[in-house]
């Protein structure tokens, strides 16, 4: 079986799936209009994905992760549990209409950006097979050096270290480059090498110590998209093993990250962090049970509006944005729109600290949550995520959904499609895919604006350094790249013709 990397989803298949879900929802008691909006959402999302070029373009990956991790996974799991799709929501019909409007606006953004984007990525051919391995090693070494510097160092906004943290993408880049190189060099017989394993291990450990689900799953995601872009073939045993590993990570490490995050406090030293992580890791079963108890306690009559399912569903509670957006949309209807300041502040945030030393750090997700009663009034640190569509509706209702959001998406898609080009030949597009897996469903519109600046700078820094600096760095560490030279047919033909001509001349001389 080859790892799927779809660039086009048959519309008949998506329509059939949507029709089946529609029928199941009606049978389970979902209102007709809500189920119809779900059906249209899946169909329009498929059209937008195909129009963008599927996974072959960063814009297609944004559409995919937005559609699946905002809405579709939640709807499917709701159907699996046998619960009406519009239950446990404060404003169910308006919420699904906002999502439907958002995906329709995204389709329009893809349509326009395809006509504005460069067909050939500006960064597409920076790294070739000859220097890819040394670039991999260089990225890995740079990632370790930066990690060592940051251990035990408190970064200050506006400092050099803070800027380095913003643009540091070396470990994910090492995994992506290393996987592509291993597959091409081996002819598809293997997909990992030592730099890939070391880089993946480093990201995983950082995720464990930071209680970060993103860090824990990033190595798997980077390997999957890189291997998928090369149509890597896995055996049945490899597939079963991979599924088992991911299932164990979901079963034990997701509760570990959620439970451990609640134990952290400001001022923790690195050694305290390590001690707490080791203590929790030594008894993952107990941690999982404690997390289940704490999650069950949240499903009370006073807080059920914050949850989409009737009972705690662990990781699946985090794989949709339906309930958080519903609370935000309902709050918008009760208290009115927030206004355009989040958009203005997002662009102001692009100004570097060196030019604006006292630049405020505003967490609009936290502000929104306190505004609608999802957090205590004195909680200014807890980060709450909402989808870009929910954010757009909260800012300016339907003007935000159909005007502000698509304008920002047009700029995002045009920028990264023009920079990265075809992700099947450009590793930079795969790096952006890994980032979009997180920002597309829950980055709000601020994540789109942030991508204009800091993600773009990080991409350019990673691409240019991987192309021109890291191969030199890697050569110093492991020696020059060994390349196999093959004689071309023209050369062999020329040799044979020269030999024939020499033989003919020798015969005439003998004659």
């Amino acid at each position: 079986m080859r790892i799927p990397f779809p660039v086009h989803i048959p519309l008949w298949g998506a329509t059939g799936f949507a029709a089946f879900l529609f029928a199941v929802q009606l049978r389970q008691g979902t209102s007709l209009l809500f189920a119809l909006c779900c059906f249209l959402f899946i169909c329009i999302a498929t059209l937008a994905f195909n129009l963008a070029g599927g996974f072959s373009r960063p814009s297609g990956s944004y559409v995919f992760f937005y559609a699946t991790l905002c809405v579709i996974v939640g709807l499917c799991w709701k159907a699996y549990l046998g619960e009406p799709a519009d239950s446990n929501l404060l404003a169910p019909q308006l919420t699904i209409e906002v999502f439907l409007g958002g995906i329709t606006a995204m389709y329009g953004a893809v349509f326009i950006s395809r006509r504005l984007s460069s067909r050939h990525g500006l960064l597409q051919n920076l790294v070739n097979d000859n220097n890819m391995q040394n670039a991999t090693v260089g990225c890995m070494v740079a990632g370790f050096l930066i990690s060592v510097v940051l251990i035990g160092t408190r970064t200050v906004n506006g400092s050099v270290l803070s800027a380095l943290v913003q643009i540091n993408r070396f470990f994910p880049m090492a995994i992506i480059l290393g996987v592509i190189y291993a597959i091409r060099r081996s002819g598809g017989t293997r997909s990992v090498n030592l730099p890939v394993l070391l880089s993946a291990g480093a990201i995983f450990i950082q995720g464990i110590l930071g209680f970060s689900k993103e860090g824990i799953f990033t190595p798997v995601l980077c390997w999957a998209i890189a291997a998928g872009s090369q149509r890597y073939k896995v055996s049945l045993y490899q597939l079963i093993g991979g599924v088992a590993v991911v299932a164990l990570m979901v079963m034990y490490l997701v509760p570990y990250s959620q439970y451990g995050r609640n134990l952290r406090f400001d001022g923790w030293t690195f050694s305290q962090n390590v001690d707490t992580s080791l203590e929790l890791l030594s008894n993952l079963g107990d941690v999982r049970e404690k997390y289940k108890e704490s999650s069950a306690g949240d499903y009370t009559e006073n807080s059920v509006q914050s949850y989409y399912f009737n009972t705690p569903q662990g990781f699946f509670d985090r794989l949709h944005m339906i309930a958080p957006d519903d609370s935000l949309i309902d709050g918008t209807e009760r208290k009115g729109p927030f206004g355009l300041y989040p958009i203005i502040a997002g662009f102001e945030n692009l100004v570097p600290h060196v030019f604006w030393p006292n630049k405020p750090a505003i967490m609009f997700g936290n502000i929104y949550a306190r505004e609608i009663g999802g957090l205590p009034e004195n909680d200014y640190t807890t980060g709450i995520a909402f989808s870009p569509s929910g954010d757009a509706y909260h800012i300016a209702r339907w003007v935000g959904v159909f005007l502000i959001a698509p304008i920002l998406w047009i700029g995002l898609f045009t920028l990264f499609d023009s920079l990265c080009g075809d992700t099947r030949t450009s590793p930079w597009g795969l790096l952006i895919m890994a980032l979009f897996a997180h920002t597309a469903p829950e980055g709000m519109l601020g994540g789109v604006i942030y991508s204009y600046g800091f993600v773009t700078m990080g991409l350019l820094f990673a691409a240019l350094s991987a192309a021109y600096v890291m191969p030199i760095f890697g050569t110093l560490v492991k020696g020059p790249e060994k390349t196999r030279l093959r004689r071309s047919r023209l050369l062999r033909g020329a040799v044979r013709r020269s030999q024939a001509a020499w033989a003919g001349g020798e015969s005439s001389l003998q004659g």
Side-chain angles (χ1 to χ4, degrees), residues 239-289:
L239 179 63
I240 294 174
V243 171
V245 169
V246 172
L248 290 174
M249 292 171 65
V250 170
M251 185 177 298
Y252 291 105
L253 294 184
V254 170
Y256 159 86
S257 65
Q258 291 295 128
Y259 184 77
R261 189 176 302 170
N262 296 330
L263 301 179
R264 299 183 65 179
F265 59 88
D266 292 337
W268 253 15
T269 63
F270 179 74
S271 60
Q272 287 176 309
N273 205 15
V274 172
D275 291 340
T276 303
S277 299
L278 292 176
E279 181 180 352
L280 296 179
L281 289 172
S282 64
N283 198 349
L284 287 175
D286 183 57
V287 170
R288 184 169 183 264
E289 293 302 319

Side-chain angles (χ1 to χ4, degrees), residues 197-352:
L197 295 176
L198 293 176
S199 300
I203 298 177
F204 182 78
I205 291 173
Q206 290 175 355
I208 289 291
L209 296 180
F211 304 105
S212 168
K213 295 189 297 294
E214 182 182 358
I216 292 172
F217 286 96
T218 291
V220 177
L221 177 63
C222 289
W223 177 87
I225 61 177
S229 70
Q230 304 301 303
R231 305 295 291 131
Y232 181 65
K233 187 176 182 180
V234 295
S235 66
L236 178 61
Y237 296 110
Q238 289 174 322
L239 179 63
I240 294 174
V243 171
V245 169
V246 172
L248 290 174
M249 292 171 65
V250 170
M251 185 177 298
Y252 291 105
L253 294 184
V254 170
Y256 159 86
S257 65
Q258 291 295 128
Y259 184 77
R261 189 176 302 170
N262 296 330
L263 301 179
R264 299 183 65 179
F265 59 88
D266 292 337
W268 253 15
T269 63
F270 179 74
S271 60
Q272 287 176 309
N273 205 15
V274 172
D275 291 340
T276 303
S277 299
L278 292 176
E279 181 180 352
L280 296 179
L281 289 172
S282 64
N283 198 349
L284 287 175
D286 183 57
V287 170
R288 184 169 183 264
E289 293 302 319
K290 289 180 179 179
Y291 171 70
K292 290 172 63 177
E293 292 174 4
S294 64
S295 298
D298 292 337
Y299 273 70
T300 62
E301 292 183 0
N302 295 327
S303 63
V304 69
Q305 61 187 33
S306 300
Y307 296 91
Y308 189 40
F309 309 113
N310 292 341
T311 57
Q313 296 300 312
F315 195 41
F316 282 94
D317 284 322
R318 302 292 187 270
L319 290 181
H320 70 89
M321 300 303 297
I322 299 174
D325 277 17
D326 172 72
S327 298
L328 186 63
I329 292 167
D330 178 72
T332 307
E333 291 301 289
R334 289 186 289 106
K335 298 184 177 182
F338 191 88
L340 296 178
Y341 182 64
I343 303 299
I344 298 172
F347 282 102
E348 289 178 344
N349 185 54
L350 298 182
V351 179

Side-chain angles (χ1 to χ4, degrees), residues 411-424:
L412 182 76
F413 299 159
T414 303
L415 174 63
F416 287 105
D417 284 359
S418 298
L419 285 175
C420 301
D422 193 328
T423 59
R424 293 168 294 185

Side-chain angles (χ1 to χ4, degrees), residues 7-8 46-54 107-108 110-112 114-115:
V7 297
H8 182 273
T46 304
L47 292 173
F49 178 79
N50 292 342
L51 180 63
Y107 177 87
V110 170
F111 181 83
I112 296 174
R114 290 289 288 177
R115 283 149 180 78

Side-chain angles (χ1 to χ4, degrees), residues 156-160 162-163 166 348-362 454 457:
V156 180
N157 289 336
S159 65
V160 175
S162 176
Q166 295 278 357
E348 289 178 344
N349 185 54
L350 298 182
V351 179
H353 270 283
V354 67
F355 301 115
W356 189 357
N358 298 321
K359 182 175 69 174
I362 305 175
F454 295 104
M457 287 190 292

